[in-house]
Amino acid sequence: MSHPTLDIIAEVYRAFDSRDFGMIERLFDPDIDIDQAADLPWGGRHHGHVGAVGFFTTLLAHIDSKVISEHMFAAGEDVVQVGRTVGTTIPGGVEFDLPEVHIWHLRQGRIVGFDAYIDTPAMLAALRQAQAR
């Protein structure tokens, strides 16, 4: 069953798959906060459209990945997505397939926050393995 917040987040994943970063301007609030474990090269807190561009640019400089969504549901104005991130490291081409959870915070049809959780020790191990090659 369709829900407006689910439709917005589905659009984000489609845009990411096609590397359409115009979605940041279209869907993200100018004051968005993005949070991921600071241990990751692209991790930490990123604020605003500039921070979002930095987050995605740094992520794509280290991994080529696709999110495989297993479950997505609305929780009020928030959306929780549970799935896997599958891909390879850049450079090195080390393959990974890791569990992840994304929590998207929406207000008035705009994304105001994105909390990304991944199996951080496993992702760091893949990145270290790639560096050792």
Side-chain angles (χ1 to χ4, degrees):
M1 182 171 178
S2 182
H3 187 276
T5 57
L6 294 177
D7 294 341
I8 291 168
I9 300 310
E11 184 178 344
V12 170
Y13 287 114
R14 284 191 302 274
F16 183 78
D17 285 346
S18 66
R19 304 303 192 245
D20 170 15
F21 293 106
M23 61 100 170
I24 291 171
E25 190 73 31
R26 288 191 315 271
L27 302 174
F28 288 16
D29 188 86
D31 287 326
I32 187 170
D33 283 316
I34 297 175
D35 287 301
Q36 189 160 26
D39 298 350
L40 296 167
W42 56 88
R45 175 167 270 210
H46 305 271
H47 180 76
H49 286 170
V50 170
V53 169
F55 171 80
F56 288 113
T57 301
T58 306
L59 175 102
L60 290 172
H62 288 86
I63 62 173
D64 181 19
S65 68
K66 178 173 179 62
V67 171
I68 308 296
S69 185
E70 296 170 349
H71 306 286
M72 189 162 46
F73 58 90
E77 286 190 89
D78 295 342
V79 171
V80 178
Q81 181 275 330
V82 179
R84 307 194 66 74
T85 185
V86 178
T88 56
T89 61
I90 301 171
V94 174
E95 294 182 1
F96 57 86
D97 179 347
L98 304 173
E100 54 78 13
V101 174
H102 294 159
I103 302 173
W104 298 89
H105 308 284
L106 293 92
R107 300 298 174 264
Q108 299 176 340
R110 301 280 285 173
I111 300 166
V112 298
F114 171 49
D115 301 320
Y117 301 95
I118 189 172
D119 182 343
T120 304
M123 184 79 260
L124 290 171
L127 293 167
R128 279 192 300 275
Q129 184 180 355
Q131 287 177 340
R133 287 188 171 185

